[in-house]
């Protein structure tokens, strides 16, 4: 609705999502602090907050306004109230279940994480009555959450849908998750974890080892994280952002490790005597984590792939001044923001990339982005000028946007159609996707 509203001023409309993302990120930091303080003590809590605050995954990933970010925030809040080590406190359990339920509404796959947490909690109960109480409470809140999810989705779709079933049908039964890219079964182990924790990963692993060997902190969060990772690995397509809800757990174990290495962890209460490690400098550890996280975060936030955002800011200014009347994006799907950044009611289109709905169509399925990649000049001619083509006709826009790597292949065809290059924006120094290499180039109709 925002693109059609004259009351929405573009600067405010584009700033608001960033402010919301900042609130979400701060809530994850705060919840991580209280989570760590509950299970590991004040010193570990301070280090957990530090890890969360400086983590490049938080500033470059969770700070993006994605559904995974909200899922992470609600999961972190649930961790802070969850009865770890089986220490059941009814009010806290209800609060944790409510936050977990909201996380599952936001992203139903979060149910895998909370299924693991629930099984571990039930298994730890000394009496069957307490286990039944947990199951009953989870069932009541779960049913209420499902009812809320159905109602919200009905308001959006104007028909009854059940997203977890659609997810299972598409990703598991039809196996169409691989349409978005097929991942190795161990992807989360050797890609996601190193990316998410980078220089903190050794501390995370050391913290888990200390929890298992010396019982300085509960092993349950690590068991839950491991179980959830295994379940998330059963789908053919994986991305490291799917594990964002595990970040607070990793930060807590990293904090436990750092507290021990700086010789400030409380040792007297541990069941097994801890060896006296060589004391590490607090300043050295803090500086190492800062340099290895803040530097990449600044580069990834301010330099890497900035062109895809800069070009939409440029188009927005042109649309407000009247020089940009319509826009077409000849790029791989979702390369740039769309109306979420433009906020001006002008016609825009991008190349389609809808996945097939049944597995039998996987090999023969047509999508425009692939067609353009294979036959760029012919594709451009057909969608703008050929009435006999089977390709879908598109509005011939005042401006076209594409990557430099493709601009070289279609420059002559665009000139024949009356387009000339009028702007280009630096995008990235490197890109693993050959379809997205080079600057972002804007072509406009020659006057």
């Amino acid at each position: 609705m925002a693109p059609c509203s004259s009351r929405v001023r573009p600067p405010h409309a584009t700033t608001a999502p960033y402010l919301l993302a900042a609130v979400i990120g701060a809530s994850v930091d705060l919840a991580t602090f209280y989570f760590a303080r509950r299970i590991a003590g004040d010193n570990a809590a301070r280090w957990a907050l530090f890890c969360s605050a400086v983590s490049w995954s938080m500033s470059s990933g969770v700070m993006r306004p994605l559904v995974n970010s909200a899922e992470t925030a609600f999961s972190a809040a649930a961790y802070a109230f969850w009865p770890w080590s089986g220490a059941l406190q009814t009010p806290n359990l209800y609060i944790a279940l409510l936050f977990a339920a909201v996380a599952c509404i936001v992203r139903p796959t979060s149910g895998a994480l909370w299924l693991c947490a629930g099984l571990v909690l039930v298994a730890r109960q000394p009496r069957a009555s307490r286990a039944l109480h947990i199951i009953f409470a989870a069932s009541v809140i779960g049913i209420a959450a499902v009812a809320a999810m159905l109602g919200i989705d009905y308001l959006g779709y104007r028909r009854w849908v059940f997203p977890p079933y659609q997810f299972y049908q598409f990703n598991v039964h039809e196996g169409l998750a691989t349409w978005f890219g097929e991942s190795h079964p161990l992807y989360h182990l050797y890609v996601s974890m190193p990316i998410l924790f980078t220089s903190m990963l050794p501390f995370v692993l050391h913290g888990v080892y200390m929890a298992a060997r010396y019982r300085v902190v509960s092993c349950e969060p690590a068991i839950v994280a491991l179980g959830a990772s295994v379940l998330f690995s059963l789908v053919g397509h994986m991305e490291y952002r799917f594990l964002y809800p595990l970040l607070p757990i990793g930060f807590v174990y990293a904090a436990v490790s750092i507290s021990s290495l700086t010789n400030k962890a409380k040792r007297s209460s541990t069941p097994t005597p801890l060896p006296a490690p060589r004391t590490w400098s607090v300043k050295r550890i803090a500086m190492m984590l800062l340099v290895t996280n803040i530097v990449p975060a600044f580069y990834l936030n301010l330099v890497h792939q900035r062109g895809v955002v800069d070009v939409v800011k440029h188009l927005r200014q042109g649309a407000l001044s009247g020089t940009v009347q319509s826009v077409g994006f000849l790029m791989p799907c979702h390369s740039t923001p769309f109306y979420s950044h433009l906020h001006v009611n002008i016609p825009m289109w991008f190349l389609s990339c809808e996945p097939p709905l049944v597995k039998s169509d996987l090999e023969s399925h047509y999508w425009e982005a692939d067609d353009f990649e294979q036959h760029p000049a012919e594709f451009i001619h057909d969608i703008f000028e050929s009435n006999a083509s089977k390709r879908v006709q598109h509005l011939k826009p005042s401006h076209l946007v594409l990557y430099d790597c493709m601009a070289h292949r279609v420059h002559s065809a665009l000139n024949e159609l009356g387009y000339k290059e009028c702007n280009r924006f630096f995008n990235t120094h490197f890109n693993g996707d050959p379809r997205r290499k080079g600057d972002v180039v804007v072509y406009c109709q020659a006057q």
Side-chain angles (χ1 to χ4, degrees):
M1 296 298 293
C4 301
S5 175
S6 60
R7 293 175 296 176
V8 177
R9 295 185 179 274
H12 298 161
T14 54
T15 302
Y18 292 108
L19 294 177
L20 175 61
V23 172
I24 290 174
S27 68
V28 175
D29 292 341
L30 186 63
T32 300
F33 173 81
Y34 284 110
F35 170 35
R37 190 166 72 171
R38 278 194 64 211
I39 70 170
D42 290 340
N43 192 58
R46 287 189 287 270
W47 276 110
L49 177 60
F50 177 81
C51 290
S52 182
V54 305
S55 168
W56 85 271
S57 298
M58 287 290 297
S59 58
S60 299
V62 176
M63 284 294 292
R64 297 173 64 192
L66 297 172
V67 69
N68 306 85
S69 305
E71 176 196 15
T72 303
F74 288 116
S75 296
Y79 297 151
F81 290 95
W82 191 257
W84 302 105
S85 301
L88 188 60
Q89 295 178 332
T90 300
N92 283 353
L93 174 65
Y94 293 161
I95 296 173
L97 287 173
L98 284 171
F99 279 122
V102 176
C104 293
I105 292 175
V106 170
R107 193 162 184 269
T109 51
S110 192
L113 168 65
W114 293 105
L115 174 63
C116 294
L119 291 175
V120 171
L121 179 61
V122 169
R124 290 277 301 191
Q125 300 309 307
R127 298 191 303 272
S129 59
R130 294 178 65 179
L132 290 174
H133 173 73
I134 294 170
I135 295 172
F136 177 76
S139 299
V140 171
I141 293 176
I143 291 171
V146 169
M149 179 177 62
L150 291 173
I152 293 169
D153 288 329
Y154 181 80
L155 292 175
Y157 295 106
R158 295 299 176 185
R159 60 187 179 90
W160 294 109
V161 295
F162 187 56
Y165 173 75
Q166 272 81 24
F167 176 88
Y168 170 81
Q169 188 73 14
F170 183 89
N171 291 284
V172 181
H173 180 71
E174 293 290 344
L176 292 172
T178 54
W179 166 264
F180 303 100
E182 190 167 4
S183 305
H184 190 277
L186 299 179
Y187 176 90
H188 284 320
L189 177 64
Y190 65 79
V191 176
S192 297
M193 291 299 180
I195 287 178
L196 290 177
F197 295 108
T198 56
S199 58
M200 295 181 194
L201 186 58
F203 297 112
V204 175
L205 297 177
H206 181 239
V208 173
Y209 167 77
M210 292 185 62
R213 177 69 178 84
Y214 302 110
R215 289 181 285 173
V216 295
V217 69
S218 173
C219 288
E220 287 185 17
I223 295 171
V224 170
L226 176 62
S229 300
V230 171
L231 291 178
F232 290 147
S233 298
L234 298 180
V235 179
H237 174 71
M238 288 170 256
E239 299 177 30
Y240 67 85
R241 65 185 176 92
F242 296 167
L243 297 191
Y244 281 172
L246 305 185
L247 282 170
I249 294 177
F251 295 150
V252 169
Y253 284 110
V256 170
S257 170
I258 297 170
S259 294
S260 172
L261 293 172
T262 55
N263 209 26
K264 293 189 178 185
K266 293 182 179 180
R267 304 173 181 276
S268 60
S269 60
T270 58
T272 305
L274 290 173
R278 174 174 172 265
T279 301
W280 289 30
S281 167
V282 172
K283 290 184 179 179
R284 288 181 180 178
I285 292 179
M287 186 58 64
M288 186 273 289
L289 292 179
L290 279 170
V291 171
T292 55
N293 282 274
I294 298 299
V295 172
F298 270 98
Y299 175 79
L300 293 172
N301 285 331
L302 301 178
V303 180
H304 184 61
Q305 296 190 18
R306 65 171 298 155
V308 292
V309 176
D310 289 342
V311 70
V312 181
K313 293 180 179 178
H314 166 75
L315 294 171
R316 183 181 70 214
Q317 295 302 320
L320 290 172
S321 65
T323 57
V324 177
Q325 288 86 38
S326 53
V327 184
F329 294 90
L330 294 171
M331 313 171 84
C333 291
H334 314 303
S335 292
T336 69
F338 208 54
Y339 283 115
S340 64
H341 274 57
L342 199 77
H343 286 287
V344 183
N345 189 20
I346 62 171
M348 297 201 299
W349 53 262
F350 56 85
L351 301 179
S352 67
C353 59
E354 295 86 355
L357 298 179
V358 292
K359 193 172 185 177
S360 57
D361 294 340
L362 192 59
E363 296 298 328
S364 60
H365 183 66
Y366 172 84
W367 71 103
E368 288 182 326
D370 180 67
D371 189 7
F372 176 64
E373 175 72 19
Q374 301 300 323
H375 317 96
E378 177 187 336
F379 179 89
I380 289 175
H381 173 76
D382 285 354
I383 66 171
F384 290 147
E385 294 196 336
S386 175
N387 293 325
S389 172
K390 294 182 179 179
R391 295 183 172 102
V392 176
Q393 298 293 294
H394 284 274
L395 166 74
K396 189 176 180 181
S398 65
H399 291 70
L400 287 168
V401 183
L402 61 163
Y403 284 108
D404 194 28
C405 59
M406 185 57 72
H408 293 300
R409 299 175 61 185
V410 297
H411 181 76
S412 297
L414 291 176
N415 286 161
E416 293 174 4
L417 291 171
Y419 288 95
K420 65 176 183 179
E421 181 182 328
C422 53
N423 286 100
R424 67 171 50 229
F425 299 87
F426 167 78
N427 191 50
T428 179
H429 293 106
F430 63 92
N431 199 313
D433 187 343
R435 303 171 303 163
R436 305 174 191 266
K437 288 188 175 181
D439 296 340
V440 176
V441 185
V442 180
Y443 279 79
C444 52
Q445 291 188 15
Q447 301 297 325

